[in-house]
Amino acid sequence: MREKVLIVDFGGQYVHLIARRCRELGVYSEVVDFARLKEVNLKDYSALVLSGGPKSVSEEGAPTVDQEVLRTGLPVLGICYGHQLIAKLMGGRVERSALREYGRTEVEVVGESVLFAGLGRRQVVWMSHGDVVLEPPPGFRVTAVSEKGAIAAMEDPDRGIYSVQFHPEVRHTENGTRILENFLRMAAGLRERWSPVDRVQEIMEEIRRSVRPGEAVICGVSGGIDSVTTALILHRVVGDDLHVVFVDHGLMRKGEVEEVLEALKGLGIRNVHFVDARSRFLQALKGVVDPEEKRKVIGRLFAEVFKEVARTVPNARYLAQGTIYPDRVESGATGSATSVIKSHHNVGGLPRDLGLDLIEPLRDLYKDEVRVVARALGVPERIVRRHPFPGPGLAVRVIGEVTEEKLEVCRAASAIVEEELERAGLYDSVWQAFAVVGEDRWVGVKGDEREHGRIVVVRIVTSEDGMTADWFRASHELLDRISRRITNEVPGVTMVCYAISSKPPATIEPC
Ligand code: XMP
């Protein structure tokens, strides 16, 4: 059985970071909501992490776990809320405290601990909590204290239980990765070196066992790395029984349609059903201004077009979709069921009534792991590196009604933003970079002519997972080049603005 870590989610904002860090350290990990822990067979796991969470352990109805969970003999690491919960469940003293410590703090290692093996006495860590543990539970010893005297780390190595008040998973904790590694390798004694490519090999085996020769698998591709990688995995297993459906809704980035068609050809995928549905989408979007309505119109029409094509594929039995792990977690579809083939959930909005069983080969992987797999399989570098792009495409980057003219401005200006970032060597350092166009206008002078032109908003953000994001501190020189090029090269634009709100409160996309 493969070594796996189970991360119990109490609603903390960093829970997926913990999972990703474990995987980066070569240990496969899964996240489960605390309320569904009972559905999980703990015997399938080799270690447990109790994550952070926004509540106070002393609040009525605060999330908790059965005490027995701490008595299974599995090594446990409690982080922040998890640390306080361990203290509370095992008889320590936790208080809502005036000692509130947020952000970057120093802690002092005061006892021998494998968690801090190889590290100095003083550690810079990231704190984010309201409760503190004032007394450890019986049998525990304190191994680190904070500047204000709170218990920053404690452990009972005999029972294999360790906990820290700070967040080792965030980069601000300078030796956080080492602390996690010490827990996984030294405290929990895990030995395996997992890589996302291993998972894909297992998945290919499962598909091979389930799909019989002659049964067609339909796979929608959008041009994004997830769907192209999904198609390629299926192609490797079922060959020409794979039928790729590629709907051009007219909302793609510049050059994307040609690039994707070219890539599919290059990868040896022969059955490509390409549909030019640009005018149908534009027609359907006429007069639609509400962001949610826009998404609904696109989703409905996409499903309709997809269905029309899918019905023409003989002997179709399966629908392959590029759902990745965070998509499933957000839709509440995670749990102990790990089979890659399921028919009962469909988070991507593709039609349910096709009567096809769903195959989701990337369902257990994070975005950066998909990149690793894509490279290993030979997906063109341009597609691997390209920033994430929303399903409804440029329609969510056009504020108000979607028109051909606004789409053209958005597409051309976005291409300039991407090109300039590439040229500055910054493309891979940011999460997304694009242009937005709305209804507002600005009077300009071009030559001797006055022009009532459009305003383009440039949005460049950094992020680890798209859930939170910060605006990118672009240099004035870079912004100047982007602005000049957009006003010079994109007809009808007289003003360029830079979006400087982080997420939260703003979302990344404007619609
Ligand atoms: P927001 O705008 O909510 O976006 O901050 C977070 C991340 O999700 C992407 N996004 C989408 N991706 N379908 C997708 O596949 C969508 O409808 C969608 N809406 C937003 C967005 O690009 C960002 O990376």
Side-chain angles (χ1 to χ4, degrees), residues 226 295 327 330 387-393 396-397 431-432 434 459 461 463 465-469 503 506-511:
D226 303 344
R295 284 169 185 269
D327 300 336
E330 267 167 36
H387 291 158
F389 189 57
V396 298
R397 295 178 178 174
W431 175 258
Q432 280 172 313
F434 53 86
R459 180 92 163 129
V461 295
S463 173
D465 52 13
M467 309 286 273
T468 60
K503 173 185 179 176
T507 52
I508 297 176
E509 309 285 353
C511 297

Side-chain angles (χ1 to χ4, degrees), residues 231-243:
L232 189 51
I233 289 173
L234 265 303
H235 186 251
R236 291 277 164 99
V237 184
V238 307
D240 285 347
D241 285 333
L242 173 71
H243 289 258

